[in-house]
């Protein structure tokens, strides 16, 4: 029952959409049944793959960079008051900035290619990773550290073998938030710049009055979001099965 | 009078499997004005039994009758006091004590008078404007007792009320509770796992055994009242009862 | 006091100083990176210009309308869904499906069905900002100590009374935290909606500046919307401290 919860909800949402489409009877709100052939054609013709690949490549590249720099920085912030004193005001400064909106500026600096888009994703997903890494590392039970030190673990060993695993549950919650934020930034920057990618496809189809196509691409984005989140969630649960599950952490982000 | 008539409780486990029998056909009569304590090892279901009497948790079988009528949920005739204090953290001491009076639409002036009375009763007059987080455990439990006494329940349901306090505070609050009880003569149903506490306070002790929870013994505490701690601790009958009930707990655990 | 405040955010000052020096050093053209002093000066001028203030007001209206709806509906839906078994059973799968969906992708749908004016932007803010509020309200309402509720029930409070006078105040600290997150999301989303489909508002200012390669003017709307987010966040933090001093 619990396992199939999302599927049941999905079916209900689709039914709702279908009912709304049938009630409104307008071109701008096609029913899911009318969108389905369009969706099929998108994949069958191979049209969508290029954009999907372009979008996902930027997301992945930005993400890998963010993990590589954000995790160590977050952990250091959590364990060192000096690092925290330097980094947290900067985090607070950038927190309310609409990162995706920086894309026109970054394009001035880095050109119109992938680099500016990867940078924008990197900037926006690093923030939650650093923040949650810091929260996790700061909350590590001091007596765990003392126990390890007493058993002869060195400073680096403590960071790597005690602090990192102990902050993993919180850190991975941050990564989960980051995935959602990354998607949002990816789509919105593609909508602003309008060169390629899924965000571009949605608007392009709308501008050309291909409304069914618009909805079809939105469905692709929705499925992508759900699959990415659900896949990561399985991984997260496997990695932190030993930690008490926190219920109130579900994905949202800006 | 409160009558427990073959009260049972079974839980179904979340993961499925055999349902757990927590309480098995418990029957007892609690006389008006009596101080009755239920003792038992942890996990015997004594708190669950109290929650059922309070109407907070439904029984799986049997009934709780107050004045011959089966209860339908919680009611202001049965006021709870919990080990965890359960004060409203967003209300001051005064507002907490006032809560039940406001809920029962007691006129403002009368409610104020009643709250003052209770603040004096539990010696918290000068702390009336503080929030729960600013109080010690003993003070919190005094507030909780006052909050419940405020709406004048006929019965107090006390769920290990002093379990979270240090030994010194516990003794002090036991004495204060006895003083209040001597004056107001409410029915008290008291849960504890402390045998000495049970003997010190009660007229009657029900000893429970675990798995499934059942009443194993019903003991009348024939000690003189009003009780004074020092006299009682030296009283041979007190010592006898503590040892006897302690032994029962060992064999039931 | 001021000195200590400055020292606590020295890294920010360092960053701004580095930006200023770098921009003035001549190593980069001014059109790519204007000095921060110039950006701030231009922001001050913009805030005294009628057209800019009109755009700011437009954005602010959409933002606050969407946020207010998100707060009201989010608290109501979150708390009510926590009260029944069915509500709790539906809530999590619903959020697991709709949470990871980048709501901005639905913006074209909103434009197509609700027109191209304020409404789709307000609704976009609503569907984005509602999540943190609703999640906080739902899980906080579920986590209220049942003994608080029992205490109230025993004192004669009705189940509805318990929701209003026990569960809601008990959940308020978490709800306010959710609202703080929602406020920043609302600022970001309204700005993006105005960039994606320009017309008016601060986001439109940004797009117009970008198209004309007026680089200083590209920074100004970003500074203003970020400042707005910062102010809202700070105000809500203040409210939390004032109204919820009881929370530990």
């Amino acid at each position: 029952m619990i396992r199939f919860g999302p599927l049941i909800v999905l079916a209900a949402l689709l039914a709702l959409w279908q009912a709304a489409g049938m009630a409104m009877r307008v071109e701008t709100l096609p029913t899911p049944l009318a969108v389905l052939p369009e969706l099929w054609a998108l994949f069958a013709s191979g049209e969508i793959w290029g954009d999907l690949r372009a979008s996902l490549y930027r997301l992945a590249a930005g993400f890998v960079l963010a993990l590589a720099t954000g995790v160590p920085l977050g952990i250091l912030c959590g364990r060192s008051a000096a690092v925290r004193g330097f980094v947290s005001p900067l985090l607070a400064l950038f927190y309310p900035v609409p990162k995706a909106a920086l894309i026109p500026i970054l394009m001035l600096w880095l050109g119109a290619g992938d680099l500016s888009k990867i940078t924008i994703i990197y900037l926006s997903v690093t923030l939650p990773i650093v923040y949650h890494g810091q929260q996790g590392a700061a909350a590590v039970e001091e007596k765990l550290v003392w126990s390890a030190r007493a058993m002869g673990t060195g400073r680096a060993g403590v960071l790597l073998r005690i602090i990192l695993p102990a902050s993993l549950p919180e850190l991975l919650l941050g990564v989960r938030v980051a995935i959602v934020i990354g998607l949002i930034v990816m789509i919105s920057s593609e909508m602003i710049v309008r060169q390629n990618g899924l965000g571009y496809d949605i608007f392009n189809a709308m501008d050309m009055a291909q409304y069914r196509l618009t909805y079809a691409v939105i469905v692709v984005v929705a499925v992508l979001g759900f699959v990415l989140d659900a896949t990561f969630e399985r991984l997260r649960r496997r990695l932190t099965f030993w930690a008490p599950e926190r219920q109130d952490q579900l994905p949202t982000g800006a | 009078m409160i009558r427990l008539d073959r009260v049972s409780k079974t839980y179904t486990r979340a993961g499925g499997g055999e349902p757990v029998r927590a309480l098995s056909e418990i029957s007892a009569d609690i006389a008006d004005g009596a101080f009755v304590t239920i003792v038992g090892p942890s996990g015997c279901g004594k708190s669950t039994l109290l929650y059922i009497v309070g109407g907070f948790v439904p029984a799986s079988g049997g009934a709780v009758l107050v004045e011959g009528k089966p209860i339908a949920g919680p009611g202001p005739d049965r006021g709870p006091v919990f080990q965890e204090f359960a004060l409203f953290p967003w209300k001051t001491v005064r507002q907490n004590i006032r809560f039940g009076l406001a809920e029962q639409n007691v006129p403002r002036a009368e409610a104020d008078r009643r709250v003052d009375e209770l603040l004096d009763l539990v010696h918290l007059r000068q702390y009336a404007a503080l929030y729960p987080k600013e109080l010690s455990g003993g003070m919190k439990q005094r507030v909780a007792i006052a909050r419940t006494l405020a709406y004048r329940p006929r019965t107090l349901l006390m769920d290990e009320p002093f379990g979270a306090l240090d030994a010194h505070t516990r003794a002090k609050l036991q004495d204060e509770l006895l003083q209040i009880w001597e004056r107001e003569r409410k029915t008290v149903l008291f849960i504890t796992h402390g045998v000495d506490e049970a003997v010190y306070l009660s007229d009657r002790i029900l000893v429970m055994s675990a798995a499934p929870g059942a009443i194993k013994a019903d003991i009348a505490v024939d000690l003189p009242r009003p009780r004074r701690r020092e006299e009682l601790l030296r009283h041979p009958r007190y010592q006898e009862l503590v040892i006897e009930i302690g032994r029962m707990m060992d064999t039931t655990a | 006091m001021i000195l200590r405040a400055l020292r606590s955010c020295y890294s920010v000052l360092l960053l701004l100083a580095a930006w200023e020096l770098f921009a003035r050093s001549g190593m980069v053209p001014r059109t790519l990176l204007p000095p921060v002093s110039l950006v701030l000066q231009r922001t001050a001028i913009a805030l005294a210009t009628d057209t800019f203030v009109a755009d700011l007001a437009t954005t602010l209206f959409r933002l606050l309308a969407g946020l207010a709806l998100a707060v009201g509906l989010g608290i109501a839906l979150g708390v009510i869904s926590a009260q029944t078994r069915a509500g709790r059973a539906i809530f999590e799968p619903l959020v697991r499906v709709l949470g990871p969906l980048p709501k901005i992708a639905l913006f074209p749908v909103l434009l197509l069905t609700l027109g191209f004016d304020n409404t789709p932007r307000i609704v976009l803010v609503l569907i984005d900002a509602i999540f943190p509020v609703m999640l906080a309200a739902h899980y906080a309402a579920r986590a209220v100590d049942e003994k608080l509720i029992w205490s109230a029930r025993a004192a004669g409070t009705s189940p509805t009374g318990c929701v209003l006078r026990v569960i809601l105040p008990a959940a308020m600290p978490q709800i306010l935290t959710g609202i703080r997150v929602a406020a920043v999301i609302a600022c970001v989303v309204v700005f993006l909606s105005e960039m994606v489909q320009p017309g008016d508002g601060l986001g439109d200012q940004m797009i117009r500046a970008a198209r004309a390669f007026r680089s200083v003017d590209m920074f100004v709307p970003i500074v203003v919307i970020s400042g707005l987010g910062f102010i809202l966040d700070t105000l809500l933090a203040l409210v939390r401290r004032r109204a919820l001093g009881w929370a530990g």
Side-chain angles (χ1 to χ4, degrees):
Chain A
M1 176 64 208
I2 304 277
R3 266 187 79 106
F4 297 111
L7 287 179
I8 296 168
V9 164
L10 208 62
L13 288 172
L14 286 173
L16 208 68
W17 175 11
Q18 178 76 25
M22 282 162 68
M24 303 251 299
R25 297 187 155 277
V26 287
E27 210 190 340
T28 49
L29 184 60
T31 64
L33 286 177
V35 170
L36 199 61
E38 202 75 35
L39 198 60
W40 174 252
L42 261 181
F43 283 94
S45 72
E47 225 179 305
I48 190 92
W49 293 115
D51 282 319
L52 196 56
R53 200 178 308 125
S55 290
L56 280 178
Y57 164 67
R58 294 171 201 143
L59 189 62
F63 227 91
V64 169
L65 283 173
L67 284 175
T69 54
V71 172
L73 189 59
I75 302 263
L76 279 178
C77 275
R79 302 310 299 178
S80 148
V83 179
R84 185 163 55 245
F86 187 83
V87 174
S88 34
L90 291 175
L91 287 187
L93 179 72
F94 285 113
Y95 169 58
V97 176
K99 263 71 70 180
L102 295 173
I103 189 75
I105 296 175
L106 280 170
M107 280 172 62
L108 276 183
W109 296 346
L110 303 173
D114 275 343
L115 191 56
S116 52
K117 284 160 203 150
I118 292 172
T119 309
I120 208 88
I121 289 170
Y122 166 73
L123 285 177
S124 37
V125 302
T126 306
L127 233 58
I129 291 174
V130 174
Y131 176 76
H132 284 272
Q134 175 196 320
Q135 298 288 90
V140 173
E141 176 70 58
E142 211 53 42
K143 277 160 197 155
L144 276 185
V145 178
W146 293 352
S147 308
R149 298 284 284 162
M151 289 182 266
T153 316
R155 282 194 181 279
V158 164
L159 271 184
L160 216 61
R161 290 199 297 280
I162 307 293
I163 306 290
L164 184 63
S167 26
L168 204 58
E170 180 74 32
L171 187 64
L172 292 185
L173 289 176
V175 176
R176 193 177 177 198
V177 173
I179 289 177
V180 178
I181 292 180
L183 263 177
I184 295 170
V185 170
M186 175 187 95
I187 297 290
S188 28
S189 63
E190 286 165 355
M191 283 178 161
I192 294 167
V193 176
R194 310 253 179 114
Q195 282 170 331
N196 57 7
L198 295 170
Y200 160 78
D201 286 339
I202 294 175
F203 258 88
N204 191 42
M206 186 176 94
D207 287 344
M208 303 208 299
Q210 292 174 317
Y211 299 125
R212 288 177 190 182
L213 183 59
T214 309
Y215 283 83
V217 183
I218 291 173
V219 169
V220 173
V221 173
V223 171
L224 183 65
F226 179 72
V227 168
L228 281 179
D229 180 65
T231 312
F232 179 75
E233 186 55 11
R234 293 191 70 161
L235 179 72
R236 187 182 73 83
R237 274 171 207 252
R238 187 164 298 182
L239 285 173
T240 58
F241 66 93
W242 46 268
E245 192 56 46
R246 275 171 52 188
Q247 263 207 311
D248 56 337
Q249 292 295 330
L250 284 162
T252 54
Chain B
M1 190 179 76
I2 295 177
R3 164 166 290 175
L4 309 185
D5 182 16
R6 286 166 295 162
V7 172
S8 303
K9 182 73 188 173
T10 38
Y11 288 107
T12 42
R13 265 187 272 227
E18 283 285 290
V20 182
R21 275 216 309 170
L23 294 173
S24 167
E25 304 219 329
I26 291 185
S27 295
D29 284 347
I30 316 287
D32 283 340
F35 199 123
V36 179
T37 295
I38 301 177
V39 294
S42 49
C44 73
K46 52 191 191 298
S47 288
T48 305
L49 184 61
L50 190 84
Y51 302 158
I52 291 173
V53 175
F56 309 125
V57 168
S60 315
V64 176
L65 305 157
V66 176
E67 308 304 327
K69 274 184 267 168
I71 58 162
D77 57 318
R78 285 153 287 137
V81 176
F82 298 109
Q83 179 177 11
E84 306 87 343
F85 320 130
L87 297 176
F88 303 120
W90 60 91
K91 288 180 182 291
T92 61
V93 168
R94 171 175 286 280
Q95 290 166 338
N96 261 290
I97 299 174
R98 234 193 124 92
F99 182 85
L101 302 169
E103 291 299 316
Q104 314 226 340
N105 300 315
V106 173
R108 189 167 259 283
E110 199 188 321
D112 281 336
R113 218 174 323 119
R114 178 75 181 141
V115 173
D116 286 338
E117 212 176 285
L118 284 155
L119 282 169
D120 288 338
L121 184 73
V122 295
H123 319 293
L124 286 172
R125 192 89 194 227
Q126 75 247 50
Y127 303 107
L130 297 188
Y131 284 93
K133 69 165 182 182
E134 300 167 290
L135 305 177
S136 69
M139 287 156 90
K140 281 184 199 163
Q141 198 54 293
R142 286 207 193 95
V143 179
I145 291 171
R147 181 179 67 180
T148 299
L149 288 175
Y151 52 88
R152 301 181 203 274
R154 298 185 54 175
T155 307
L156 286 180
L157 304 176
M158 307 189 86
D159 175 26
E160 303 197 37
F162 310 139
L165 307 175
D166 64 83
H168 175 72
T169 312
R170 185 184 310 142
K172 225 172 136 193
L173 276 174
Q174 285 167 350
D175 291 341
E176 284 181 29
L177 175 65
L178 275 185
Q179 276 168 23
I180 292 168
W181 181 78
E182 297 281 356
R183 194 150 39 145
E184 308 213 350
R185 284 290 164 169
K186 293 193 181 297
T187 313
V188 177
L189 189 56
F190 193 101
I191 305 286
T192 183
H193 55 250
V195 176
D196 45 356
E197 179 173 68
V199 177
Y200 179 54
L201 294 172
S202 331
D203 296 324
R204 182 180 162 203
I205 297 174
L206 303 174
V207 184
M208 278 181 73
S209 58
I215 292 179
K216 192 187 174 189
D218 184 343
I219 296 162
V221 180
D222 43 358
L223 287 165
R225 286 191 190 272
R227 296 197 178 146
R228 264 177 283 277
R229 190 173 294 274
E230 285 179 19
E231 285 171 24
L232 211 69
L233 289 178
R234 293 197 192 94
H235 202 294
R237 181 65 186 142
Y238 170 85
Q239 295 165 356
E240 226 172 82
L241 279 167
V242 170
I243 292 166
E244 186 188 337
I245 296 169
R247 237 181 238 142
M248 285 183 190
M249 300 261 290
D250 280 341
T251 52
T252 56
Chain C
M1 235 287 284
I2 295 170
L3 206 70
R4 196 186 306 161
L6 285 181
R7 197 182 307 163
S8 72
C9 60
Y10 75 99
S11 53
V12 170
L13 298 176
L14 268 179
L15 179 82
L16 294 180
W19 174 358
E20 182 76 19
L21 286 175
F22 188 56
R24 289 192 181 281
S25 68
M27 285 156 71
V28 285
R30 284 257 171 130
T31 46
L32 285 189
L33 185 69
V36 64
S37 57
L38 192 62
V39 172
L40 292 178
Q41 191 190 349
R42 196 69 73 86
T43 306
I45 294 170
L47 287 175
T49 314
D50 287 346
T51 50
F52 189 89
V53 171
D55 273 325
L56 173 60
T58 305
T59 300
L60 201 57
F61 165 69
R62 293 166 178 163
L63 154 66
L64 292 179
L67 184 61
L69 287 171
V71 168
L73 283 173
I75 293 176
L77 289 176
V79 171
I80 291 169
S81 63
Q83 299 312 312
T84 61
R85 193 188 286 257
R88 290 193 293 269
I90 293 172
F91 190 83
E92 192 181 321
L94 191 70
V95 174
R96 286 203 57 182
V97 171
L98 293 179
L101 168 71
K103 260 61 76 179
I104 189 94
L106 294 176
F107 188 45
V109 176
L110 300 176
L111 290 171
L112 289 174
T113 51
L114 301 172
F116 282 71
D117 197 21
N118 284 332
T119 321
R121 300 173 206 276
I122 291 171
V123 173
L124 182 69
V125 172
L126 164 66
I127 62 177
D128 243 318
I130 197 170
F131 276 86
V133 182
M134 194 167 70
L135 280 170
H138 181 87
Y139 287 107
R142 276 170 72 160
V144 173
D145 180 1
E146 61 185 352
K147 281 165 190 166
L148 282 187
I149 299 166
W150 293 355
S151 298
R153 294 281 286 136
T157 312
S158 67
T160 325
C162 274
V163 172
L164 293 175
R165 292 195 291 281
V166 179
I167 295 176
L168 204 54
M172 218 17 115
Q174 288 97 313
I175 291 179
L176 258 176
T177 307
I179 294 176
R180 277 181 69 180
V181 176
V184 173
I185 290 180
C187 287
V188 169
V189 166
V190 76
F191 194 79
L192 291 180
S193 86
E194 291 165 355
M195 283 182 76
V196 166
Q197 184 67 38
D200 49 5
L202 288 176
D204 179 66
Q205 289 269 355
M206 168 98 189
I207 288 291
R208 266 186 285 161
R211 288 192 183 142
F213 289 103
R214 286 181 280 128
S215 60
V216 186
D217 291 337
M218 286 166 68
F219 283 93
V220 171
I222 296 239
V223 168
V224 173
I225 193 75
S226 306
L228 215 53
F230 179 79
I231 290 169
L232 269 180
D233 191 55
T234 311
L235 280 179
L236 285 167
L238 223 64
V239 168
R240 191 179 196 279
R241 198 162 346 136
R242 267 292 171 81
L244 301 174
W246 55 267

